[in-house]
Amino acid sequence: MPENHKPSNTTKSKAETAVTDSDNIENDVDSVDDKDTADIEINDIDDDELNDSEADESLKEDIGKKINQLRLAKGYSQRKLAKLSGLTNTSISSIERNKVSPAVNTLKAILTVLGSDLTTFFSDEWKEPKARVIVTPKDLLELNEPNSKVSLKQVYNCSRTRNLGFLIETYQPNSSTEEKIAHEGEEIGTVIEGKIIIRIEDSTYLLNQGDSYVIDTIQPHTFINPTDSITRIVSAHTPTTY
């Protein structure tokens, strides 16, 4: 299973500030003879501020999607990126899902790990990869370390609009994922070869070949191959950030 198995702002938005400013302007123009002119100026201010707010939201969305693309192009899991950049897995997940906007220093730390920089990231040099229909074995992304006994290969086609993640997993004899993985989302998988034990908090489940599972990944869980044979699983998870 994915090894990461995978916060509100009290500051007024620009749109809210625009509404407050608008009320103040209306109070100030009571003595103005031509009130229609004042109303036009108020409306203009509101539109400008709302347009700025929409632009900020679009920029934040691009940041999350770009970081996700860069990370997957490197073949890094969220946990690995978090470790190398000095952040938490939850922080990386929130940034990629556009739940929060990273501070400049945080973004610089992430981009350094991913082999990019602020100038390239926000310039026209940014090249969005074209989504593929066919993903060949050589295109699969290995999310675990090369010497790990658990292989997690992600089927990634470079799409920015995908809503589902998919993994091809191989567990060497007597291997396991990290203890008590937890991340937001849902996961469904099927054992296509061998056996696997799933520990979810205080409960233990044994799955044989052909058995499937559905779990809420916010619950701490661990996958264990207790046998002397290889175990293989295919799994899907949502959200796709992981």
Side-chain angles (χ1 to χ4, degrees):
M1 277 322 76
E3 58 177 339
N4 299 321
H5 275 38
K6 9 126 150 39
S8 75
N9 196 333
T10 57
T11 303
K12 289 185 178 180
S13 67
K14 287 188 176 182
E16 291 172 331
T17 303
V19 172
T20 302
D21 291 344
S22 174
D23 293 339
N24 292 336
I25 293 174
E26 288 185 0
N27 292 333
D28 291 341
V29 299
D30 285 341
S31 59
V32 178
D33 293 334
D34 189 359
K35 191 173 186 300
D36 290 339
T37 301
D39 288 338
I40 293 173
E41 292 175 353
I42 293 168
N43 289 334
D44 288 342
I45 292 174
D46 286 346
D47 290 342
D48 289 343
E49 295 289 356
L50 288 172
N51 288 338
D52 288 345
S53 179
E54 291 172 358
D56 287 346
E57 287 300 315
S58 177
L59 177 59
K60 183 173 74 172
E61 181 178 354
D62 283 343
I63 289 175
K65 289 180 178 180
K66 285 182 177 182
I67 290 174
N68 178 254
Q69 286 184 320
L70 286 172
R71 175 176 65 79
L72 290 176
K74 277 278 191 179
Y76 287 176
S77 65
Q78 285 185 347
R79 183 179 292 274
K80 182 173 182 178
L81 175 57
K83 181 179 180 180
L84 293 175
S85 58
L87 302 171
T88 65
N89 182 63
T90 301
S91 296
I92 297 297
S93 177
S94 297
I95 291 170
E96 289 191 359
R97 298 181 66 198
N98 300 306
K99 298 295 184 182
V100 299
S101 295
V104 173
N105 287 341
T106 298
L107 182 57
K108 287 176 65 176
I110 292 172
L111 293 179
T112 298
V113 172
L114 296 177
S116 186
D117 54 64
L118 291 173
T119 301
T120 302
F121 191 74
F122 290 109
S123 74
D124 293 336
E125 294 179 31
W126 172 265
K127 302 296 182 182
E128 181 177 341
K130 184 178 180 180
R132 297 189 293 259
V133 174
I134 305 299
V135 181
T136 66
K138 67 180 180 61
D139 296 322
L140 297 175
L141 298 178
E142 176 57 65
L143 299 181
N144 262 356
E145 298 296 335
N147 59 347
S148 175
K149 296 180 69 177
V150 178
S151 172
L152 304 175
K153 293 185 181 295
Q154 186 165 53
V155 180
Y156 174 57
N157 73 334
C158 302
S159 172
R160 293 184 65 179
T161 59
R162 69 196 188 287
N163 296 308
L164 186 68
F166 189 82
L167 291 175
I168 300 172
E169 310 173 28
T170 303
Y171 294 77
Q172 295 300 321
N174 303 299
S175 63
S176 70
T177 59
E178 295 182 22
E179 283 289 328
K180 299 181 179 180
I181 299 168
H183 59 92
E184 183 180 8
E186 182 181 35
E187 182 175 321
I188 297 176
T190 299
V191 181
I192 59 176
E193 181 182 340
K195 300 176 184 288
I196 199 77
I197 289 176
I198 304 178
R199 287 181 181 165
I200 303 176
E201 295 186 318
D202 296 328
S203 300
T204 300
Y205 306 88
L206 174 63
L207 286 77
N208 297 299
Q209 181 176 327
D211 290 339
S212 300
Y213 63 88
V214 180
I215 62 174
D216 178 358
T217 52
I218 198 64
Q219 299 177 298
H221 55 280
T222 304
F223 286 76
I224 305 167
N225 176 8
T227 73
D228 294 327
S229 301
I230 289 178
T231 295
R232 302 183 195 279
I233 298 174
V234 292
S235 66
H237 59 275
T238 185
T240 57
T241 53
Y242 147 98

